[in-house]
Amino acid sequence: MSARAVGLAALVLGGAALVAVAARSGPGDDRPSLAPAWQLVGRATQTADRAMSQASGIDEADEGAFGDELVRSGGWVRRDGPEQELVDRVLADLTTDRRKPFVYRGFVADDPQINAFAMPGGVIVVTTGLLRVMPDEAVACVVAHEVGHVELSHTLDGARSQIRHRGPLAEIAGALHAVLMRPVYSQAAEAEADTYAFAAIAASSWDKQGCVRAFEVLAEGERSGLRRELGSHPPAALRVERARAAVEL
Amino acid sequence: MEEILIGIASLVGLALLVLPLFSLIFGLVTRSRISGLAARVGDTESEIALLRAEVMELRTALASARAQAIAVGARTPVRVAPVVVETPPSGADARAVEAEERAVARSLPAGDGTVGSVDVLGRSDGMLKPDQALGGSPQAVGAPLQADGALLQADGAPLQAAGASLQADGASLPADGAVLQADGASSGEVEPGLTGGGEGGRQESAGGATGWGWAERQLAGNWTGILGAGAVVVGTGFFGIFAALMMPPFLRFLLVLAFAGVLGIASVILGRTPAWEALARWVRSAAAAVVLVACVGGVLFTPMRWVTSDVGGVLLVSVGVAVNLAAGLLAGGEVFAALHVVLGLLAVGMLPASASTIAVAAAVAAVGQLAVWRQPRWGAQLAVTAVAFALWHVAWLLRLPVETTDAVRHGLAIGAVLLVGIGGYVTSYRRVLAEPAWDEWGFLLHLIVQGCVAGSLAQHDLGGSMATVGMAAASVGLHRASAMARRGGAAWLFRTDRLVALGLAVGAVATLHRQDVHVVYLLLGATLVAVGWVVNEARRDDRWVLGASVGLAHALGPWAMAAAMIAGSPPHHHVAALIGAAALVLAGSAFAERWQAAEREDGGPRAWLGLGVVAGWWLLGADQVAMEDLGTWAAVVPAVAVGVLVAGRRPWPTDGLEVGLAVVLVHLVAVGGWFVGTEVLSVRTHALSVVLLGGTLGAAAVSGAATRLWGRAVAGTSLAVVLGLLTWRYTVEVSSFVPGVLWVVLSLGWLELSRLDRLAAARDGMRLLGAATFVAFLVRHGLVDLQQELMVGPVSVRGAVEVYAALVAGWWVAATRHDPPGPVAWSVEAALALAALFVALEVPPAWIAPVLAVEALVLVEVGRRIAGLERLIGWAVVVNLAALVRVAVLSSRLVDPGEGWSAWTLSLVAMAVAWGTFLRGRAAAGTEVGSAWMLGPVVAVARGVTRSAGPWLLYPWFAALAVYLAWVFSHGVLTLLWMGECFGMFAAAVWLRDGLLRRVSMAAIFVVLGRLLIYDLQSSNILVKAMVFVGSGGLLIAINALYHRFRDRFEEAT
């Protein structure tokens, strides 16, 4: 038998084996989605954006000071009660290996929306709406995701970008950038923060299923269609898939 | 205490920087007269021998001409291209040359205008002057008279050589070796260099190399050592110079002024001797610069500060700037003028930002532009002035005190910018209209001036609608100016300004976002502006402007529609999308009409293509609208309208293809029915499958009746489509990955079928079908598989599919790599794309850089070793760049809470592998790179690597390292690190015998030295400062030692 025949047979058998392996993984989601490819494109724009933002000369020490100012000007104050304690406990658990040279601060916002966000300088805000619908381990995953935004400098890059986009021409560029590229970049950043969160939760004592649960909750209110594909965050169904994969690892 | 030390160190540092600069520039300028010739003393013997040979040849040629002229008895004067002979001032060789010339002169009859003769000029002051030439008049007949490669041809017609001017410098020439050169300016009808043109060119070239070599010898051989020692001294003696600062500031100021005075006097003395005029100019320039330094120091430098009031400071610096500018402009050279404008602006910029400083700066720039008005050829001066003022203006704004009023911050500054900008613009226009022909430099210059004005004005955020109004006004102004350029015959200027005006008009619309105008309307407005431009420009001939307008409309319109779709609820957004779409159709239509009018032969298809794209977008938009708010009719009406518009243009150019299209349509209908309401595999599904396969065969029969080729194509395509669909329909419920995998296997099947001899006639078609099936897999993989995170144990199914598909693509590569260039050969690129996906999705972030680096190494090796795949070397460059960018930009940011290997360590691994890639790239030298279909740039890169790997693989490596160091390490020690990198570059250049890299390293050393003197002197930590100085100095000394150790290699490489 010629080498070509052996090679061809190996490829065909390999294909058959792969089909068998894929069959074991289950049916999966056959709906086409632009989001993963969109995120890949976003990595390139993210790199360019980050490279430009790093030229702004603002460093992490400035970020810390910026965070202090945000807390002061935004009127964020710590609340008493179990919700604040939960956020504090989660933050303490998840920032032991932090790389940023400032202390993380968690706040609870009285808002019925299911939301959480991070600001420069390690300021993490979680809404009461989220805290009410998510179990503690899911809250931990959400907070880990937000810590990821800070540790991965997404928030710092955002602040730098804002500063870079001062001035009319720069504002135009910023507006166009926001319209054309920001969703791409944002999806890439969100996916990056998700990956960080999976790893952070895995390295902590929190239940890894919390991430699956968190994204399942988020998926319940998600929009559909093109807005889902090109939105600021990856589709929640996709995030659930990734969380499940991370749990299985 | 520290300020004083910094002041002293600054002075020493500035001296260290200025001296070599001055020395280098001075040497470069005067090298042809003094230093360059002096450096050639060692070559005098050979030069003189060369000269002797030239003169002998000349003598022979002229004697021949004389003989022929006498034979014919003609009276036509002969002119010989002038020759300048420079010989040493004394010595036997010089005398020998002179004797030769005299012999030549004696051998020719005296020119009396009646007898054929060629006269050698008499001499004056050691030089033979052209105006002393006597008209000889030999008439040469017959064969060309050739001397030293130049052709003197006469065939009965008068033979003339303008200004016979054999110039011999004779015995009184400077002792700088012999240079034989042609004076093309006076050579008239005869090609420059009848006797010495080729040699003259050679000498010029050698002179250029000598200039580089000289500068390099100075820098690497001398100044690295001197500066290194100086830096070490500054570093180690940082604390020992305090005593020198005991003098009062005003005395120090006077001392510096006195130094400037000495330089000024020296320049006057030197200027009296013609040979030293160039030097005198530089010395005068330096004196003016020193005056400026004194004036600035008198205001700003602590050790010299004696003026403390703001007004006094501005006045004193203005005096210094005035002296400086006067010296620069009076020197008469563009370099001097540009240099002094920059120096003047720098000096003013060092003062605290205020209204008076921007006024002075604007005046400096205006004077600089006035110089260009007087000397229109000074394009570089105009560019330097524009860029310098723009940068100055930015710095001024940044440094302006917070309490500054808006009248100064914006009003005065805008006035200054407009003054300088309009001045520059008018100067640029005047320059272009004087010579309207296309000129790359003029184009660049124009853009620079425009960019500087725009960039400066953009810094003034006045709020409200001022920016909109300003940009719109600028757009209108440029539009009118472009009309002037058109009338003046400067087509390129018209094009440039018209395009910039378009950009400004679109930008003016974009600024409305500050008025809270919704982005849908912003994009729509910008689209309409572009469409208006299209309609306007369609009446003209400039297809660049028209094409750009259409392109912009097409680029913006879809985004308008997409934004309208994403924006959601308000129905008027969808109406806006429809308006945008209609505008796009209008733009495409105008473009098509114009293009077809201009190019009836081949314009149609291209125009149709543009129109088709537009129509597609319109339909998409209409479809979205129909689904959302306005009902199905909204999709139907534009669809019919587009159909009428498209169909009305000309008959369908289908050439029978409509049969195939009809078949495809039937398929689509069948497949549509196949899937509707069939969630499970039912009897109906199986029945439809049978119908589909039968229909495929029937379609093949029908279409095959038209032509054989189309029959095969339609049948094969239908079969491929049906097989693909059936595969998907019957396996997708098992796993979403399975259809894709089976499509890959199907593509393999098509490939193997194409290799069967009995199907040889359909070989190409089958390969195309196989490739199309593989492409279908890629599309499905991108849209469906990428989102699957399914795992089987530790194995990512997605990653496994990618690896498998890449292996099949590799099989394709092996089977088709000797095929003629075509789309099938892109299987290489398919494999690379899959590899890239695998790396991006399956490899942990910190590992991506080293993995990419290894991939690049493998690609180089494969490309080097396997015939037909040489372009992989080009892809290796791309992958290697990706790895380096990853290292430089991202690695320092990677954070993984559970990380083992740190991103920092892995970055170093990636850098090491990338170095290996460079070494293997060097080994690819001389590899013949075959062409590839539509991959010209990649092939060009691969060929570039095989010619010289350094610029493609090594230079980016050093660039990435520099960026990596900057972003990872403290800026306090960055100079030391960069100097270490410079040392590495220099050593690599010596090792590789790479002249370009060596020069790059020298330039980098210069830059780092600048940082050492400008940045590190100001750094607050004196210990770090001392360490950086000592370390950098030591490295400089090491470079110096390296230079002297391997000097012979430098000669080879140069």
Side-chain angles (χ1 to χ4, degrees), chain A residues 232-248:
Chain A
S232 62
H233 286 60
L238 175 60
R239 302 172 86 180
V240 172
E241 284 285 331
R242 296 190 64 213
R244 284 195 179 126
V247 168
E248 289 170 13

CSV table of all heavy atoms in Angstrom, one decimal, chain A residues 232-248:
chain,number,residue,atom,x,y,z
A,232,SER,N,-22.7,44.9,23.2
A,232,SER,CA,-21.5,45.2,24.0
A,232,SER,C,-20.9,43.9,24.7
A,232,SER,O,-19.7,43.8,25.0
A,232,SER,CB,-21.7,46.3,25.0
A,232,SER,OG,-22.7,45.8,25.9
A,233,HIS,N,-21.8,43.0,24.9
A,233,HIS,CA,-21.4,41.7,25.6
A,233,HIS,C,-21.6,40.5,24.7
A,233,HIS,O,-22.5,40.5,23.9
A,233,HIS,CB,-22.2,41.5,26.9
A,233,HIS,CG,-21.8,42.5,28.0
A,233,HIS,ND1,-21.9,43.9,27.9
A,233,HIS,CD2,-21.3,42.3,29.3
A,233,HIS,CE1,-21.5,44.4,29.0
A,233,HIS,NE2,-21.1,43.5,29.8
A,234,PRO,N,-20.8,39.5,24.9
A,234,PRO,CA,-21.1,38.3,24.2
A,234,PRO,C,-22.5,37.8,24.5
A,234,PRO,O,-23.0,38.0,25.6
A,234,PRO,CB,-20.0,37.3,24.7
A,234,PRO,CG,-19.0,38.1,25.3
A,234,PRO,CD,-19.7,39.3,25.8
A,235,PRO,N,-23.1,37.1,23.6
A,235,PRO,CA,-24.4,36.5,23.9
A,235,PRO,C,-24.4,35.6,25.1
A,235,PRO,O,-23.4,34.8,25.3
A,235,PRO,CB,-24.7,35.6,22.6
A,235,PRO,CG,-23.9,36.3,21.5
A,235,PRO,CD,-22.7,36.8,22.2
A,236,ALA,N,-25.4,35.7,26.0
A,236,ALA,CA,-25.3,35.0,27.3
A,236,ALA,C,-25.3,33.5,27.1
A,236,ALA,O,-24.6,32.8,27.8
A,236,ALA,CB,-26.5,35.4,28.1
A,237,ALA,N,-25.9,33.0,26.0
A,237,ALA,CA,-25.9,31.6,25.8
A,237,ALA,C,-24.5,31.1,25.5
A,237,ALA,O,-24.1,30.1,26.0
A,237,ALA,CB,-26.8,31.3,24.6
A,238,LEU,N,-23.8,31.9,24.8
A,238,LEU,CA,-22.4,31.6,24.5
A,238,LEU,C,-21.6,31.6,25.8
A,238,LEU,O,-20.7,30.7,26.1
A,238,LEU,CB,-21.8,32.6,23.5
A,238,LEU,CG,-20.3,32.5,23.2
A,238,LEU,CD1,-20.0,31.1,22.6
A,238,LEU,CD2,-20.0,33.6,22.2
A,239,ARG,N,-21.9,32.6,26.7
A,239,ARG,CA,-21.1,32.6,28.0
A,239,ARG,C,-21.5,31.5,28.9
A,239,ARG,O,-20.6,31.0,29.6
A,239,ARG,CB,-21.5,34.0,28.7
A,239,ARG,CG,-21.1,35.2,27.8
A,239,ARG,CD,-21.6,36.5,28.4
A,239,ARG,NE,-20.7,37.0,29.3
A,239,ARG,CZ,-20.9,38.2,30.0
A,239,ARG,NH1,-22.0,38.8,29.8
A,239,ARG,NH2,-20.0,38.6,30.8
A,240,VAL,N,-22.7,31.0,28.8
A,240,VAL,CA,-23.1,29.8,29.6
A,240,VAL,C,-22.3,28.6,29.1
A,240,VAL,O,-21.7,27.9,29.9
A,240,VAL,CB,-24.6,29.6,29.4
A,240,VAL,CG1,-25.0,28.2,30.1
A,240,VAL,CG2,-25.4,30.7,30.1
A,241,GLU,N,-22.2,28.5,27.8
A,241,GLU,CA,-21.4,27.4,27.2
A,241,GLU,C,-20.0,27.4,27.7
A,241,GLU,O,-19.4,26.4,28.1
A,241,GLU,CB,-21.4,27.5,25.7
A,241,GLU,CG,-22.7,27.1,25.0
A,241,GLU,CD,-22.8,25.6,25.0
A,241,GLU,OE1,-21.7,24.9,25.0
A,241,GLU,OE2,-23.9,25.1,25.0
A,242,ARG,N,-19.4,28.6,27.7
A,242,ARG,CA,-18.0,28.7,28.1
A,242,ARG,C,-17.8,28.4,29.6
A,242,ARG,O,-16.9,27.8,30.0
A,242,ARG,CB,-17.5,30.1,27.8
A,242,ARG,CG,-17.4,30.4,26.3
A,242,ARG,CD,-16.7,31.7,26.0
A,242,ARG,NE,-15.3,31.6,26.4
A,242,ARG,CZ,-14.5,32.6,26.8
A,242,ARG,NH1,-15.1,33.8,27.0
A,242,ARG,NH2,-13.3,32.4,27.2
A,243,ALA,N,-18.8,28.9,30.4
A,243,ALA,CA,-18.8,28.6,31.8
A,243,ALA,C,-18.8,27.1,32.1
A,243,ALA,O,-18.1,26.6,32.9
A,243,ALA,CB,-19.9,29.4,32.5
A,244,ARG,N,-19.7,26.5,31.3
A,244,ARG,CA,-19.8,25.0,31.5
A,244,ARG,C,-18.5,24.3,31.2
A,244,ARG,O,-18.1,23.4,31.9
A,244,ARG,CB,-21.0,24.5,30.6
A,244,ARG,CG,-22.4,24.8,31.2
A,244,ARG,CD,-23.4,24.0,30.5
A,244,ARG,NE,-24.7,24.3,31.1
A,244,ARG,CZ,-25.8,24.7,30.4
A,244,ARG,NH1,-25.7,24.7,29.1
A,244,ARG,NH2,-26.9,25.0,31.0
A,245,ALA,N,-17.9,24.8,30.1
A,245,ALA,CA,-16.7,24.2,29.7
A,245,ALA,C,-15.6,24.4,30.7
A,245,ALA,O,-14.8,23.5,31.0
A,245,ALA,CB,-16.2,24.8,28.3
A,246,ALA,N,-15.6,25.6,31.3
A,246,ALA,CA,-14.6,25.9,32.4
A,246,ALA,C,-14.9,25.0,33.6
A,246,ALA,O,-13.9,24.6,34.2
A,246,ALA,CB,-14.7,27.4,32.7
A,247,VAL,N,-16.1,24.8,33.9
A,247,VAL,CA,-16.5,23.9,35.0
A,247,VAL,C,-15.9,22.5,34.8
A,247,VAL,O,-15.4,21.9,35.7
A,247,VAL,CB,-18.0,23.9,35.3
A,247,VAL,CG1,-18.4,22.8,36.3
A,247,VAL,CG2,-18.4,25.2,35.8
A,248,GLU,N,-16.1,22.0,33.6
A,248,GLU,CA,-15.6,20.7,33.3
A,248,GLU,C,-14.1,20.5,33.3
A,248,GLU,O,-13.6,19.4,33.4
A,248,GLU,CB,-16.2,20.3,31.9
A,248,GLU,CG,-17.7,20.1,31.9
A,248,GLU,CD,-18.3,19.9,30.5
A,248,GLU,OE1,-17.5,19.7,29.6
A,248,GLU,OE2,-19.5,20.0,30.4
